Short mmCIF file of all heavy atoms in Angstrom, two decimals:
data_model
loop_
_atom_site.label_atom_id
_atom_site.label_comp_id
_atom_site.label_asym_id
_atom_site.label_seq_id
_atom_site.Cartn_x
_atom_site.Cartn_y
_atom_site.Cartn_z
N SER A 175 0.40 2.71 -17.19
CA SER A 175 -0.18 1.45 -17.62
C SER A 175 -1.12 1.65 -18.81
O SER A 175 -1.19 0.84 -19.72
CB SER A 175 -0.91 0.75 -16.47
OG SER A 175 -1.97 1.60 -16.02
N GLN A 176 -1.87 2.76 -18.79
CA GLN A 176 -2.78 3.03 -19.88
C GLN A 176 -2.03 3.40 -21.14
O GLN A 176 -2.44 3.10 -22.25
CB GLN A 176 -3.74 4.15 -19.49
CG GLN A 176 -4.76 3.75 -18.43
CD GLN A 176 -5.64 4.90 -18.03
OE1 GLN A 176 -5.46 6.02 -18.54
NE2 GLN A 176 -6.55 4.66 -17.11
N ALA A 177 -0.87 4.07 -20.98
CA ALA A 177 -0.09 4.43 -22.15
C ALA A 177 0.52 3.20 -22.84
O ALA A 177 0.70 3.16 -24.03
CB ALA A 177 1.04 5.39 -21.74
N LYS A 178 0.82 2.17 -22.02
CA LYS A 178 1.41 0.97 -22.57
C LYS A 178 0.37 0.13 -23.28
O LYS A 178 0.68 -0.64 -24.19
CB LYS A 178 2.07 0.16 -21.45
CG LYS A 178 3.30 0.85 -20.87
CD LYS A 178 3.89 0.01 -19.77
CE LYS A 178 5.13 0.69 -19.15
NZ LYS A 178 5.74 -0.11 -18.07
N LYS A 179 -0.91 0.24 -22.89
CA LYS A 179 -1.94 -0.59 -23.48
C LYS A 179 -2.35 -0.01 -24.84
O LYS A 179 -2.52 1.19 -24.99
CB LYS A 179 -3.18 -0.62 -22.58
CG LYS A 179 -2.91 -1.36 -21.27
CD LYS A 179 -4.15 -1.39 -20.43
CE LYS A 179 -3.92 -2.11 -19.10
NZ LYS A 179 -5.13 -2.12 -18.27
N PRO A 180 -2.55 -0.85 -25.87
CA PRO A 180 -3.01 -0.34 -27.16
C PRO A 180 -4.47 0.11 -27.09
O PRO A 180 -5.21 -0.27 -26.20
CB PRO A 180 -2.85 -1.55 -28.10
CG PRO A 180 -2.97 -2.73 -27.20
CD PRO A 180 -2.35 -2.33 -25.89
N SER A 181 -4.84 0.94 -28.01
CA SER A 181 -6.21 1.43 -28.07
C SER A 181 -7.16 0.27 -28.37
O SER A 181 -6.89 -0.57 -29.25
CB SER A 181 -6.35 2.49 -29.17
OG SER A 181 -7.69 2.88 -29.33
N ILE A 182 -8.26 0.20 -27.64
CA ILE A 182 -9.18 -0.93 -27.83
C ILE A 182 -9.84 -0.85 -29.19
O ILE A 182 -9.98 -1.87 -29.88
CB ILE A 182 -10.26 -0.90 -26.72
CG1 ILE A 182 -9.59 -1.04 -25.35
CG2 ILE A 182 -11.31 -1.96 -26.92
CD1 ILE A 182 -10.54 -0.96 -24.19
N SER A 183 -10.24 0.35 -29.61
CA SER A 183 -10.91 0.49 -30.91
C SER A 183 -9.98 0.15 -32.04
O SER A 183 -10.35 -0.58 -32.96
CB SER A 183 -11.44 1.89 -31.05
OG SER A 183 -10.40 2.83 -30.95
N SER A 184 -8.75 0.68 -32.01
CA SER A 184 -7.83 0.39 -33.10
C SER A 184 -7.42 -1.07 -33.12
O SER A 184 -7.26 -1.68 -34.17
CB SER A 184 -6.59 1.28 -32.98
OG SER A 184 -5.91 1.00 -31.76
N GLY A 185 -7.27 -1.68 -31.88
CA GLY A 185 -6.95 -3.10 -31.88
C GLY A 185 -8.06 -3.95 -32.41
O GLY A 185 -7.84 -4.93 -33.11
N TRP A 186 -9.30 -3.59 -32.10
CA TRP A 186 -10.42 -4.35 -32.62
C TRP A 186 -10.53 -4.20 -34.11
O TRP A 186 -10.79 -5.18 -34.84
CB TRP A 186 -11.71 -3.87 -31.95
CG TRP A 186 -12.93 -4.59 -32.45
CD1 TRP A 186 -13.36 -5.80 -32.08
CD2 TRP A 186 -13.82 -4.12 -33.45
NE1 TRP A 186 -14.50 -6.13 -32.75
CE2 TRP A 186 -14.82 -5.11 -33.60
CE3 TRP A 186 -13.91 -2.97 -34.24
CZ2 TRP A 186 -15.86 -4.98 -34.49
CZ3 TRP A 186 -14.97 -2.83 -35.11
CH2 TRP A 186 -15.91 -3.83 -35.25
N LEU A 187 -10.32 -2.96 -34.66
CA LEU A 187 -10.43 -2.75 -36.07
C LEU A 187 -9.38 -3.50 -36.86
O LEU A 187 -9.62 -4.08 -37.89
CB LEU A 187 -10.35 -1.24 -36.40
CG LEU A 187 -11.57 -0.42 -36.02
CD1 LEU A 187 -11.28 1.05 -36.22
CD2 LEU A 187 -12.79 -0.85 -36.81
N SER A 188 -8.14 -3.47 -36.31
CA SER A 188 -7.05 -4.10 -37.05
C SER A 188 -7.05 -5.61 -36.87
O SER A 188 -6.69 -6.35 -37.78
CB SER A 188 -5.71 -3.53 -36.58
OG SER A 188 -5.54 -3.79 -35.20
N GLY A 189 -7.42 -6.11 -35.65
CA GLY A 189 -7.32 -7.53 -35.41
C GLY A 189 -8.60 -8.26 -35.77
O GLY A 189 -8.56 -9.34 -36.33
N ILE A 195 -7.20 2.30 -40.00
CA ILE A 195 -7.68 3.66 -40.15
C ILE A 195 -6.69 4.46 -41.00
O ILE A 195 -5.49 4.29 -40.92
CB ILE A 195 -7.87 4.32 -38.78
CG1 ILE A 195 -8.86 3.48 -37.98
CG2 ILE A 195 -8.33 5.73 -38.91
CD1 ILE A 195 -9.01 3.94 -36.56
#
Side-chain angles (χ1 to χ4, degrees):
S175 61
Q176 290 177 359
K178 293 179 181 180
K179 294 181 180 179
S181 174
I182 299 177
S183 58
S184 62
W186 179 81
L187 288 173
S188 61
I195 301 173

